[in-house]
Every structure is written in C-alpha cells, then in structure tokens.
Amino acid sequence: MKPTDKILPALAAGIIGTLAFAMPLFAEGIRVTQVDVNNLLLKGQVDLYVSLGDADSGAYSPESFAVTEADGTRLEVRSVDRNANRDEGIAFLLLLDNSGSMYDETFQGTPRIGHAKLALGDFVSRVSGSKDTMGVMAFNTMLAELAPMGSDPGEIDRSIQTLSRPDTDMAYTELYQSLDASMLKFARVPGRKALIVLSDGENFPFFSSTGRPHPVWGEETVSPDDVLARLWESGITLYGINFADKKDPDLARVATASGGLIFDARDAGELENVYAEIRERIRNEIRLQVKAPPYASSDRTVTVTLNGRSDSRNY
C-alpha cells in the first residue's frame, strides 16, 4: 500500500519479502482537506480541516495561521482545535466496486471482492467503539445502499458479506455516476466527511458501452469534473483506492483536488493498511474555525498559510 507514485522503494529481496505499508517519501506540507460551511448561517463561521504533515511541530494559536479569500481578504481565525476529529468523530462513506471484474480477477487465488470484504470488515472493527460513523454503498451498473450512515458495525459487516456476483447487465462500472449520486445524502452530514472509494478499474458506463439507456440515469453522463464540483460544493473529501494495475485516469486528480489522496493496494493486507492510514491521517488533522466574510464571493477559494507554507481549496 502506498500513495501512488510517491512510495519508498522495496527493500532488497531476502530482507523483506513484501512491503505492505509505505509512507510518502516526499516532504509533505500543509493541506486543506475540507471546507465545511454548515455553520455559516448559524454561527457566521467556516470550519477548515487542515493536515499539517511535516509542518506539524508543536502547538499553534489562531495567530499562527493566515487565512485569506481569493481577493486577498484576511479572515479571522477564531479557534484552533487539534483534537476535533478524535473528539467529535469522522463520518466515513465507504463506496465499494462490485462490478464483474471484482470477481473475474484474482490475487493469491482469491477474487478481489474477497480481499475487499476482509479489509472492510477489519476497518469496521477498528472504528467500532469510537465516535466515528459509517455507511456503505456498492456500485456496478447500479448504485446500492448496503448500510445507511450511522449503522451499527454489525449491520455494516453483515451488509458487506451479502454482496454477490452481478449478472451481465449489472456488471458495468458506473464509477462517476455512483460517486456523484452517493453524495446526495452524505452532503447533509455535518463535520468531517470522508468518501473512500475502492475500484479495480476505469469508469465503464452502461450507456456508452452498450448504446442502451441506463435503467436509472438514461443517457445522462457525469464527468470527473462534475464529481469534483460536487465534492467542493458538498464539503466532502474523496480518497481513492486503486485495486488493480489498470486505473481510472482521472480518479487521482479528482481525489487530490478535493483534499484527499489516492492509494494503490493488491490484497486484503494492503487494503487494511490503506483504510487504517486514511483514518489516522484524518484523526491527526486540526480544525480552524474561521469568521466568514460579510459577503458572498464569486470565487469561493480559501488559502491557509502556516510558516511560509500554504494550500488552497475551493468550496
């Protein structure tokens, strides 16, 4: 498991057979991972979730950060909370590829869907007992809600195990339609929201592949940029997991532009590490509560600067 194209090289053969977990080799700086406007009308504030990476060297006060709008207007930082995500919990929407190829392709003699079920079961057990909440959806030609947000861990685990191989017409990979549709309910969840999608290949829509209208979406198409706009609008961070050598060419761009990351994995063990790392990264973020500007800017971009390092995010 590793962030794509930014991994430690495998150690020499004979020392370690398999490198299952690798940290980024690059110097990771500050990143704005989510902009939450749910408190805009009630409290007149915007909540910014920030990953400090290797810039995280100690305690910070509101005066440590410079937060500016696109036009250069500086916004007042009201508070800095290093434990917000641990104390209040994270909402995880787990989106799982259940297309035909998840059953066709095997690794170590087990279909990919088998590895995915094991890894998700491990993640559910890790989250159990915390303030984090979860929901699970699966996609192929159709998008199905297996367990709604806030379901108990037992229900979530049971719902994952019910997945079975789809028939031919249901075996397509509606990646971007499913990402877009999955956010409709998730966008209303307050606080820190992470959408984690696991897919073993490229977007392979039913309509463009068969020439027949989709049973639900007809001839409608959703582009990667449409999904990115929805992520910004909804205040959701996308984390992508490539679970095959053949990858969707746009998923990494969409995930990183939303404030998230993209990962590669090959088997259940690497998948377990990916899910655990995503959660730990989010738990280590800080939350800045910022006084909202007294006007609505047409260019809704916010920039956070700390010790000469900065990052911007659309919202």
Side-chain angles (χ1 to χ4, degrees):
M1 181 285 302
K2 64 279 186 186
T4 301
D5 296 326
K6 295 171 180 175
I7 60 171
L8 293 171
L11 298 180
I15 299 176
I16 295 180
T18 302
L19 183 63
F21 184 80
M23 295 299 292
L25 185 60
F26 60 94
E28 186 179 4
I30 188 171
R31 294 174 60 250
V32 180
T33 55
Q34 180 182 321
V35 181
D36 184 3
V37 297
N38 281 304
N39 288 318
L40 184 62
L41 295 179
L42 183 63
K43 298 181 179 180
Q45 75 182 29
V46 175
D47 293 345
L48 307 178
Y49 294 88
V50 180
S51 173
L52 298 182
D54 59 8
D56 190 359
S57 60
Y60 297 103
S61 68
E63 292 73 29
S64 302
F65 296 87
V67 179
T68 55
E69 289 277 288
D71 63 1
T73 300
R74 184 157 178 164
L75 306 181
E76 175 192 345
V77 180
R78 290 175 167 173
S79 68
V80 177
D81 190 339
R82 298 189 65 92
N83 298 305
N85 293 342
R86 295 175 183 269
D87 294 341
E88 299 176 14
I90 306 158
F92 291 102
L93 178 55
L94 309 175
L95 184 58
L96 175 62
D97 189 338
N98 191 47
S99 62
S101 58
M102 289 287 287
Y103 296 82
D104 293 336
E105 299 181 20
T106 63
F107 186 78
Q108 298 173 340
T110 301
R112 294 190 185 278
I113 192 67
H115 291 277
K117 287 181 178 181
L118 287 172
L120 285 171
D122 175 81
F123 184 71
V124 169
S125 67
R126 288 174 186 263
V127 172
S128 180
S130 72
K131 292 189 177 180
D132 296 347
T133 57
M134 292 174 291
V136 182
M137 305 184 86
F139 69 98
N140 39 49
T141 300
M142 306 295 287
L143 175 66
E145 184 176 59
L146 303 183
M149 285 300 305
S151 297
D152 68 76
E155 179 184 354
I156 291 173
D157 192 49
R158 287 190 295 272
S159 73
I160 294 168
Q161 303 309 319
T162 64
L163 288 171
S164 60
R165 183 173 193 142
D167 62 30
T168 302
D169 267 1
M170 292 294 104
Y172 292 83
T173 308
E174 290 280 1
L175 176 60
Y176 290 107
Q177 282 279 15
S178 298
L179 281 168
D180 188 65
S182 69
M183 287 185 273
L184 295 178
K185 292 182 181 179
F186 195 37
R188 297 194 291 270
V189 175
R192 186 67 174 93
K193 301 185 286 289
L195 170 54
I196 307 177
V197 59
L198 182 156
S199 181
D200 74 339
E202 298 180 75
N203 185 43
F204 196 61
F206 180 86
F207 171 62
S208 62
S209 302
T210 66
R212 291 179 282 147
H214 187 278
V216 174
W217 298 307
E219 299 181 7
E220 174 189 334
T221 60
V222 172
S223 71
D225 287 337
D226 292 333
V227 169
L228 180 56
R230 176 87 71 180
L231 289 163
W232 285 338
E233 178 186 359
S234 304
I236 296 171
T237 312
L238 176 64
Y239 295 85
I241 306 174
N242 294 316
F243 200 38
D245 293 334
K246 190 174 184 180
K247 307 166 187 178
D248 185 85
D250 294 296
L251 187 60
R253 175 178 63 84
V254 174
T256 55
S258 77
L261 293 168
I262 193 79
F263 295 83
D264 289 338
R266 297 179 301 168
D267 59 20
E270 293 188 358
L271 277 177
E272 289 171 6
N273 285 335
V274 168
Y275 282 109
E277 182 181 350
I278 291 171
R279 181 174 183 244
E280 193 60 22
R281 283 173 176 265
I282 298 174
R283 282 165 62 85
N284 288 333
E285 293 172 354
I286 64 171
R287 182 180 66 193
L288 307 182
Q289 294 187 319
V290 178
K291 183 178 180 180
Y295 59 87
S297 172
S298 59
D299 185 356
R300 304 185 71 181
T301 303
V302 65
T303 299
V304 177
T305 302
L306 172 68
N307 295 335
R309 297 184 180 187
S310 63
D311 188 40
S312 302
R313 187 70 52 224
N314 292 72
Y315 69 100

